[in-house]
Amino acid sequence: MDEKFDCIIVGAGVAGLAAAMVLARSNMKFLLIERGEFAGSKNVSGGVLWGHDLAKLVPDYWEEKEAGWERFINHRRLTFMDEESTFSLDFKSSHFNEPPYSGVVVLRSKFDRWLADKVQDAIDASDYAMDSFIATNILVDQIIMKDDKAVGIKTGEDEFFADSVIIAEGVNNLLTRQVGLQTQYVPADHMLTGIKEIIRFDQKELEDRFQLNGLSGMSNEFVGWATDGVEGGGFLYTNRDTISLGLVLGIKDMREKNKSPHDVLNHFKSHPAIADIIRGGEIVEYTAHVVSSGDKRAMPKELYKDGVLLAGESANLLMNAGKAIQGMDYAMRSGILAAETIVKAKEKNDFTSATLSGYRKALDDSYVMKDINGFQDAVHLLHTPTMQHDVPNLICDFGRQFFTIKNEPTPKSKDMLRGAIKRHSSYWDLIKLGAKGAKAL
Ligand SMILES: Cc1cc2nc3c(=O)[nH]c(=O)nc-3n(C[C@H](O)[C@H](O)[C@H](O)COP(=O)(O)OP(=O)(O)OC[C@H]3O[C@@H](n4cnc5c(N)ncnc54)[C@H](O)[C@@H]3O)c2cc1C
């Protein structure tokens, strides 16, 4: 193929597909290349796609009952766990019931494939119906650089040329390094391994067990005993007739503690509260994938250079301050902003970093970088031993006393709390945590 594209996008994950949708709608001629057999075939996610950007890309997506999403979230739970007990903050609200939903659970192999079909529809409706392509089963080996400007890609012996390249290759960002946008290896303590099982139930049984109504769903995050002493956390999300149950575990900590993700997941599943939840379910899928920690120090210093932009987790755009993992929504928004920048560059016929720097500005002005910058202290706090162990143990210890009724005089709650603090932490540590937490959140 001798023709030149306006843009080549590498990777048909959430970031690449979002970028492709914007380019197709803006009548741009582009090539989206994915190494997997189909979009989503290589992708793993817990996962809840948060926010309303999906509605921008696929208006009224909720009208499609067989669409790529599983359930909308109207029930959120954060659970502290010790060996015997769970103590949850539980929030369910019908205000979440109206579309566009504030979060939808997705299974990536289904969701990405569905979104790719929507992109194809947009290509078909564009002026470049015969000239823009989604190409799967192709691994991009190299970004072709000329005078330090990206001018195309190489796959095997084949070369394809374009005015611009969007790298949306995900967390294992080899091409990002190749073009020199990330020079340092990200330290292992900024990276996590995510593992997940999909467990199937009879749909009615699942809906009864989790009190789901229609397509409503629940997201549950876990802190404490779940990770068997390894830095990280657990999650559970309800799909149509399955649940996604898994963990994200610090790679460095896991290695130092000589633990395997599989063993830690079995440990999590052995907790009495989890065993009750998954009883009778059948494991139908097991997946693992690296995921960023949300520590900003893992981000490349710059997200653009002449002819090239980075979107999604290839730039380590992710946040997890304990409330939720936000990686897909960041990928989607950054893909949208990257494509909008390319559209502007095409209007000016200038794909140099002078124009592409507008992407960095747009991202800095968006909630993505505002939140990444604003919640770094919370990300760090979540990974401290106090938050990982002491606080969950203390809360569960207090819960056991508070909810136990004996035929004896009942101590005052403040005395129960004082005892729990003494057993698991100290006033001084909690004062420090409170001061830091108030600032961080
Ligand atoms: C266990 C787990 C749970 C998670 N839970 C959540 C959650 O609940 N909510 C949330 O928002 N996020 C969650 N995340 C994070 C989220 O999955 C990622 O942040 C998100 O997928 C990043 O999207 P992306 O498009 O940047 O990259 P990816 O989704 O990784 O897509 C990159 C694509 O590029 C392709 N590719 C890579 N290299 C090449 C190449 N050289 N040539 C061609 N194609 C290439 C890959 O095959 C892939 O399809 C979770 C992650 C894990 C691992």
Side-chain angles (χ1 to χ4, degrees):
M1 206 182 292
D2 296 332
E3 284 170 276
K4 194 162 96 169
F5 294 94
D6 295 322
C7 184
I8 294 175
I9 304 167
V10 184
V14 176
L17 289 165
M21 184 69 96
V22 172
L23 293 185
R25 294 236 180 92
S26 310
N27 261 328
M28 302 278 282
K29 184 169 138 187
F30 68 92
L31 174 61
L32 168 61
I33 305 187
E34 165 58 42
R35 69 183 167 147
E37 205 184 314
F38 56 88
S41 61
K42 298 269 185 194
N43 294 337
V44 173
S45 185
V48 184
L49 171 58
W50 298 105
H52 294 163
D53 278 353
L54 178 59
K56 284 190 204 154
L57 294 181
V58 187
D60 302 338
Y61 70 85
W62 51 89
E63 301 287 350
E64 288 186 40
K65 293 292 176 247
E66 285 315 310
W69 57 286
E70 298 291 306
R71 291 181 176 277
F72 69 87
I73 297 293
N74 74 350
H75 188 180
R76 301 211 51 195
R77 193 182 280 164
L78 173 62
T79 299
F80 297 93
M81 195 176 236
D82 75 2
E83 193 175 358
E84 300 176 288
S85 318
T86 52
F87 194 121
S88 297
L89 280 173
D90 190 284
F91 185 75
K92 187 170 188 176
S93 172
S94 57
H95 93 277
F96 287 129
N97 291 356
E98 292 306 313
Y101 302 121
S102 81
V104 288
V105 191
V106 299
L107 291 169
R108 292 292 298 280
S109 53
K110 184 168 152 195
F111 176 77
D112 291 14
R113 206 172 191 173
W114 167 79
L115 194 53
D117 286 345
K118 297 285 163 195
V119 172
Q120 187 59 56
D121 292 346
I123 291 174
D124 293 344
S126 79
D127 292 347
Y128 292 104
M130 305 305 287
D131 305 292
S132 287
F133 301 95
I134 303 176
T136 54
N137 241 334
I138 296 176
L139 176 77
V140 173
D141 297 314
Q142 199 185 324
I143 307 292
I144 304 171
M145 304 295 286
K146 198 173 163 204
D147 301 330
D148 214 27
K149 175 184 187 301
V151 293
I153 63 98
K154 191 163 185 208
T155 163
E157 293 304 307
D158 295 322
E159 294 184 334
F160 297 91
F161 293 92
D163 285 324
S164 60
V165 176
I166 296 176
I167 300 179
E169 61 182 338
V171 66
N172 190 17
N173 58 2
L174 301 173
L175 300 172
T176 303
R177 286 162 201 285
Q178 195 198 88
V179 300
L181 278 169
Q182 189 150 38
T183 45
Q184 304 286 325
Y185 263 97
V186 175
D189 53 354
H190 294 351
M191 283 292 158
L192 307 156
T193 290
I195 43 162
K196 178 181 82 158
E197 280 182 359
I198 297 186
I199 304 175
R200 177 172 293 146
F201 298 86
D202 168 74
Q203 186 164 334
K204 170 89 176 49
E205 161 80 27
L206 180 111
E207 287 168 353
D208 289 347
R209 198 170 289 196
F210 291 95
Q211 296 163 9
L212 308 177
N213 186 2
L215 286 181
S216 76
M218 186 190 81
S219 73
N220 195 167
E221 278 76 29
F222 297 84
V223 190
W225 189 88
T227 58
D228 198 12
V230 177
E231 180 190 330
F235 59 82
L236 185 161
Y237 307 119
T238 54
N239 305 311
R240 298 256 169 134
D241 64 350
T242 60
I243 59 166
S244 295
L245 181 77
L247 297 164
V248 286
L249 300 165
I251 289 178
K252 180 163 177 260
D253 203 32
M254 202 164 34
R255 194 175 56 209
E256 284 173 359
K257 292 184 173 138
N258 206 12
K259 300 253 163 86
S260 83
H262 184 255
D263 290 344
V264 183
L265 185 58
N266 281 337
H267 166 89
F268 180 34
K269 285 165 65 183
S270 73
H271 191 279
I274 300 297
D276 279 348
I277 288 176
I278 60 176
R279 197 178 43 247
E282 180 199 359
I283 300 166
V284 290
E285 204 178 302
Y286 178 87
T287 42
H289 202 283
V290 173
V291 58
S292 317
S293 68
D295 192 316
K296 196 183 147 192
R297 287 172 294 184
M299 276 184 68
K301 284 212 175 54
E302 215 25 283
L303 305 179
Y304 64 91
K305 67 193 284 183
D306 287 346
V308 61
L309 295 174
L310 300 181
E313 231 188 316
S314 58
N316 284 306
L317 296 176
L318 188 134
M319 245 270 296
N320 180 8
K323 205 162 64 168
I325 305 177
Q326 288 179 264
M328 288 186 281
D329 58 322
Y330 284 16
M332 191 166 268
R333 177 61 70 91
S334 62
I336 292 171
L337 295 176
E340 286 174 353
T341 308
I342 297 298
V343 173
K344 282 188 193 138
K346 166 89 177 165
E347 281 162 13
K348 292 195 212 162
N349 195 25
D350 175 8
F351 293 88
T352 64
S353 51
T355 303
L356 299 192
S357 62
Y359 169 58
R360 179 74 208 216
K361 165 126 194 18
L363 204 61
D364 282 345
D365 288 344
S366 76
Y367 82 100
V368 172
M369 285 315 298
K370 285 194 171 145
D371 283 357
I372 287 180
N373 287 327
F375 287 92
Q376 279 303 296
D377 288 347
V379 171
H380 298 153
L381 202 60
L382 180 68
H383 292 269
T384 58
T386 312
M387 267 316 291
Q388 291 277 313
H389 311 295
D390 302 349
V391 168
N393 288 338
L394 187 162
I395 289 176
C396 289
D397 181 334
F398 171 75
R400 269 196 299 278
Q401 297 176 69
F402 186 81
F403 290 110
T404 302
I405 312 285
K406 295 182 186 162
N407 300 121
E408 291 172 10
T410 306
K412 291 284 187 200
S413 303
K414 67 175 172 36
D415 295 325
M416 295 179 184
L417 188 60
R418 194 174 293 144
I421 291 172
K422 246 193 191 157
R423 281 187 287 279
H424 301 286
S425 186
S426 68
Y427 276 105
W428 176 231
D429 277 347
L430 290 186
I431 287 166
K432 279 194 295 185
L433 182 74
K436 280 190 193 157
K439 199 171 134 251
L441 293 168

